[in-house]
Amino acid sequence: SPAEVVLVAGARPVIVDVEEGGFGLDVDKAIAAMTPRTKAVIFVSLFGSIPPGIPRLAAECASRGITLIEDAAQSFGATAPFPPHPRSCAFADLSCTSFFPTKPLGGYGDGGAVFTPHPHLAAALRALRAHGAERPKGPIVRVGFNARLDAMQAAIVSAKLPGLEEALAARKAAAGRYRA
């Protein structure tokens, strides 16, 4: 969960309410909660829904030097409701998704991915997943983890990726039957 990550990092989470009538972060409340001590803002794209105020939140975070993180475990492949209609994982400084079997692009076990448009963050993430080494069999430059996606899960997710659009359409159709 986002709050767990904050606590593991040794920081204090500040919980902000969701928008009225929905499950997305209330952007006005998030901006109001920012202080000079704020290092990052995490928003959740829940149930394939990306909060519509995210461009404003992204601009505010950028102007203050605050990292914007998307928890996209439930929304991989979702299209944003704001122009130019980017996909989930395409507009935050860091976006995290899950390949757990029940997720939009599920494997047959645990795993996930982190996306970033920033080369320096991508390099740090690659090192973190491989015990802190910046290159295979290279020296350890930071404390890291053994957090690589195993070959079997990578093969399963890779095989399912070309059918993602059809799988998302089927999930939407199933959800529609529940609403009927």
Side-chain angles (χ1 to χ4, degrees):
S1 92
E4 281 178 320
V5 172
V6 173
L7 292 168
V8 168
R12 184 178 65 86
V14 175
I15 308 299
V16 176
D17 207 352
V18 297
E19 60 199 350
E20 191 171 329
F23 297 106
L25 176 71
D26 185 313
V27 171
D28 291 327
K29 290 178 181 172
I31 291 170
M34 291 179 187
T35 72
R37 295 183 59 193
T38 303
K39 303 293 183 215
V41 172
I42 304 173
F43 71 94
V44 179
S45 295
L46 192 59
F47 308 131
S49 177
I50 302 162
I54 293 304
R56 191 163 52 89
L57 180 62
E60 188 68 28
C61 286
S63 74
R64 296 183 190 206
I66 296 171
T67 301
L68 182 62
I69 303 169
E70 177 187 16
D71 174 344
Q74 294 281 354
S75 67
F76 188 77
T79 303
F82 46 83
H85 307 290
R87 293 291 184 115
S88 181
C89 299
F91 42 82
D93 296 306
L94 294 161
S95 295
C96 313
T97 195
S98 171
F99 299 141
F100 189 75
T102 60
K103 305 300 182 182
L105 184 60
Y108 291 167
D110 285 322
V114 182
F115 303 89
T116 180
H118 307 294
H120 71 285
L121 291 176
L125 288 166
R126 281 191 294 275
L128 284 172
R129 75 171 182 198
H131 301 288
E134 289 183 340
R135 62 183 192 282
K137 303 198 190 292
I140 304 235
V141 297
R142 61 176 45 98
V143 175
F145 314 93
N146 180 13
R148 297 174 301 269
L149 189 63
D150 70 72
M152 181 64 76
Q153 296 309 319
I156 292 165
V157 169
S158 294
K160 291 175 78 174
L161 187 57
L164 179 63
E165 293 300 323
E166 294 80 19
L168 291 174
R171 287 172 76 100
K172 285 180 184 177
R177 287 191 292 275
Y178 283 98
R179 289 188 195 104

